[in-house]
């Protein structure tokens, strides 16, 4: 674990000291403050002088009395602990806040919300769900924040049915309000989310080989957002299962034109459909056409693979070399060196290019920077949808 932030420690040290000074004038407002053991303050100081920053942080937080003035400090401290991965300590702080009977309801509800965030971070989804449902009953002020967190809980527990019901009710609220560019964008985002939930539910049905149910889910996804290619990819897989290869091919070809940046994610089923129909040559014309409007190193690499599968190494090398001139990436360099391996007398150069290319993460999230070798429709880092892309590098 990382060392505690020195600034945080200093702020907490000052907050405890300031809390005492302020507390003298407010001693009648919270009787429990008097029960705070002052020894914790000196204990914290000792830990600080001994260089034990973690222990010092805990001692100072315990020494800081809970009252209306210091409430925000506790909330900030708890939230920082959660972000640092110390969820157990964050839970203790927020539970201790909730046990104070003297706090105003608004502050209790805020602590309630923070505790729900702790439970989500700790993976205690059932407890978070109950807490948030209670909070929605108790506080209209925190209802919107609680609903957002509740959606997070349903997503994390893969409860697509409850997620859909909640998202639909939120969408209705947005649509009922006066139409503004912001409300329209919010509604579109919610519709895209509903589409994603349907697709997740469809993929769960696919695992059970319940093809009709899976197709119905995907079709509903499309009704929410007809610009998404995810439902088409699911339906194409079901088409193949049901022997409708031509239909699968048509769907995937349309998806490639709608979202050429996603073609690497479904090139394999598209190749299989082409092979089954005996029209593999269509892929060369498809990708060449896409490349004319979009100079994408990934598409260039796929086109080179198609030339190679036809035994046309010269065309493959030409398309890669063009890419190196226009938009060089380590993957293109590796491919070029592989194709030229007979002319490259030093195998170490080919190996170095391979290592360089492998070192680059295939996928990167445009929102949080999460990176990894696999594609996810929902980013595992920030939980945003459809934010992973293949960086050209
Ligand atoms: Zn992310």
């Amino acid at each position: 674990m990382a060392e505690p932030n020195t600034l945080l420690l200093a702020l907490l040290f000052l907050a405890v000291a300031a809390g005492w000074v302020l507390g003298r004038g407010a001693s009648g407002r919270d009787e429990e403050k008097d029960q705070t053991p002052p020894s914790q303050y000196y204990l914290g100081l000792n830990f600080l002088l001994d260089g034990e920053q973690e222990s010092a942080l805990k001692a100072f937080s315990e020494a800081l009395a809970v009252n209306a003035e210091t409430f925000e400090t506790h909330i900030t401290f708890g939230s920082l602990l959660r972000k640092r991965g110390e969820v157990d300590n964050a839970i203790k702080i927020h539970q201790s806040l909730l046990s104070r009977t003297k706090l105003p309801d608004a502050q209790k509800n805020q602590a309630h919300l923070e505790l729900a965030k702790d439970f989500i971070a700790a993976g205690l989804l059932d407890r978070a769900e109950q807490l948030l449902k209670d909070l929605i009953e108790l506080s209209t002020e925190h209802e919107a924040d609680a609903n957002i967190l509740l959606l997070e809980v349903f997503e994390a527990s893969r409860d697509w049915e409850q997620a859909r019901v909640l998202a639909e009710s939120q969408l209705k609220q947005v649509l009922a309000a006066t139409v503004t560019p912001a409300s329209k964008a919010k509604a579109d985002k919610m519709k895209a989310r509903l589409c994603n939930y349907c697709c997740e539910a469809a993929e769960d049905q696919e695992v059970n080989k319940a093809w009709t149910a899976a197709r119905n889910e995907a079709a509903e996804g499309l009704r929410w957002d007809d610009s998404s290619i995810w439902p088409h990819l699911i339906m194409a897989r079901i088409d193949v299962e049901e022997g409708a290869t031509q239909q699968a091919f048509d769907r995937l070809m349309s998806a490639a034109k709608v979202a050429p940046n996603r073609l690497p994610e479904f090139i394999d089923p598209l190749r299989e459909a082409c092979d089954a129909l005996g029209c593999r040559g269509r892929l060369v014309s498809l990708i060449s056409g896409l490349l004319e409007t979009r100079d994408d190193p990934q598409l260039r690499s796929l086109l080179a693979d198609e030339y190679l599968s036809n035994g046309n190494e010269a065309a493959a090398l030409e398309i890669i070399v063009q890419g190196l001139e226009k938009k060089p990436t380590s993957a293109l360099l590796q491919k070029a060196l592989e194709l030229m391996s007979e002319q490259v007398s030093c195998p170490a150069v080919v190996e170095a290019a391979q290592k360089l290319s492998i070192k680059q993460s295939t996928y990167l999230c445009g929102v949080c920077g999460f990176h990894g070798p696999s594609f996810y429709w929902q980013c595992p880092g920030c939980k945003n949808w459809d934010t992973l892309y293949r960086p050209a590098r």
Side-chain angles (χ1 to χ4, degrees):
M1 192 172 57
E3 279 295 295
N5 185 320
T6 311
L7 183 62
L8 167 66
L9 197 55
L11 286 175
L12 204 59
F13 176 80
L14 291 173
V16 175
W20 279 358
V21 173
L22 287 171
R24 280 183 192 143
S27 56
R29 273 177 270 173
D30 190 346
E31 288 158 18
E32 290 180 63
K33 181 177 60 57
D34 297 334
Q35 294 163 16
T36 307
S39 59
Q40 289 298 97
Y41 180 72
Y42 297 108
L43 191 65
L45 260 181
N46 274 337
F47 281 134
L48 193 58
L49 292 172
D50 290 344
E52 294 180 40
Q53 299 197 341
E54 289 288 346
S55 306
L57 269 179
K58 275 179 201 149
F60 283 140
S61 78
E62 282 164 19
L64 186 59
V66 178
N67 56 41
E69 285 79 21
T70 62
F71 177 81
E72 284 301 332
T73 311
H74 281 274
I75 289 285
T76 307
F77 185 52
S79 147
L80 277 168
L81 285 175
R82 182 175 62 243
K83 283 174 189 158
R84 289 162 50 82
E86 290 187 55
V87 184
D88 285 352
N89 286 327
I91 290 175
K92 276 182 205 154
I93 287 184
H94 295 131
Q95 278 178 333
S96 136
L97 286 178
L98 283 168
S99 69
R100 310 288 167 143
T101 51
K102 302 269 173 174
L103 281 180
D105 283 350
Q107 291 189 334
K108 280 207 160 183
N109 290 338
Q110 198 183 338
H112 216 118
L113 196 70
E114 291 298 319
L115 186 59
K117 289 180 190 171
D118 298 338
F119 284 151
I120 294 174
L124 301 168
L125 300 177
D126 288 352
R127 290 169 79 174
E129 182 181 336
Q130 195 51 54
L131 210 54
L132 291 165
K133 284 179 174 169
D134 291 347
L135 185 58
I136 290 166
E137 293 285 315
L138 285 170
S139 161
T140 46
E141 191 192 339
H142 293 92
E143 190 182 341
D145 288 338
N147 273 330
I148 291 169
L149 288 177
L150 203 50
L151 266 188
E152 241 182 73
V153 170
F154 294 147
E155 286 178 8
S157 49
R158 301 188 59 79
D159 187 343
W160 308 117
E161 195 45 52
Q162 285 213 73
R164 264 192 283 192
V165 171
L166 181 55
E168 266 190 74
S169 80
Q170 290 190 335
L171 177 64
K172 270 184 199 154
Q173 281 179 20
V174 175
L175 293 176
T178 316
V179 179
T180 62
S183 75
K184 195 184 171 306
K186 201 172 172 187
D188 287 346
K189 209 173 166 188
M190 201 51 85
K191 285 179 190 170
R193 205 163 180 142
L194 277 158
C195 171
N196 294 331
Y197 293 162
C198 293
C199 289
E200 289 283 7
E203 291 197 344
D204 286 350
Q205 296 288 1
E206 265 189 283
V207 172
N208 298 326
K209 299 191 186 301
W211 308 123
T212 307
R215 189 185 288 281
N216 290 341
E217 295 282 11
E220 194 188 330
L222 215 48
R223 282 195 290 278
W224 284 117
D225 181 6
D226 61 7
S227 67
S228 171
I229 61 156
W230 193 3
H232 290 292
L233 304 188
I234 294 168
M235 287 196 212
R237 287 198 296 267
I238 301 170
D239 289 339
V240 170
E241 287 294 336
E242 295 180 341
T245 312
Q246 181 67 47
Q247 198 167 294
F249 170 80
D250 292 342
R251 278 188 210 284
L252 296 174
M253 289 292 276
S254 312
K257 285 165 194 163
V258 172
N261 57 321
R262 288 272 172 252
L263 181 57
E265 275 70 70
F266 59 91
I267 189 68
D268 288 340
L270 183 52
R271 280 180 183 141
E272 282 163 22
C274 287
D275 288 342
L277 296 168
C279 61
R280 184 72 182 249
R282 293 277 299 273
L283 276 187
V284 170
S285 52
L286 169 79
I287 305 171
S288 303
L290 296 176
L291 262 178
E292 279 173 23
T293 53
R294 177 188 176 87
D295 188 10
D296 181 339
Q298 324 274 355
L299 290 179
R300 205 169 270 286
S301 186
L302 291 182
L303 182 56
D305 288 342
E306 285 311 305
Y307 284 134
L308 285 176
S309 73
N310 298 334
N312 193 346
E313 283 196 17
L317 183 58
E318 190 187 335
I319 203 79
I320 295 292
V321 171
Q322 276 174 12
L324 284 172
E325 285 165 2
K326 290 182 180 174
K327 206 184 255 186
T329 67
S330 56
L332 287 180
L333 180 63
Q334 182 221 338
K335 210 157 198 132
L337 287 169
E338 258 177 28
L339 289 167
M340 297 169 69
S341 58
E342 285 175 14
Q343 297 160 51
V344 180
S345 54
C346 180
V349 174
V350 181
E351 274 176 35
Q354 261 171 355
K355 281 182 193 161
L356 186 66
S357 172
I358 289 167
K359 260 172 76 177
Q360 311 286 346
S361 289
T362 312
Y363 293 98
L364 181 68
C365 172
V367 175
C368 72
F370 169 89
H371 54 92
S374 307
F375 175 74
Y376 301 94
W377 285 100
Q378 185 180 29
C379 171
C382 62
K383 309 293 178 195
N384 277 297
W385 293 89
D386 205 5
T387 54
L388 258 57
Y389 68 100
R390 292 171 174 251
R393 55 191 185 189

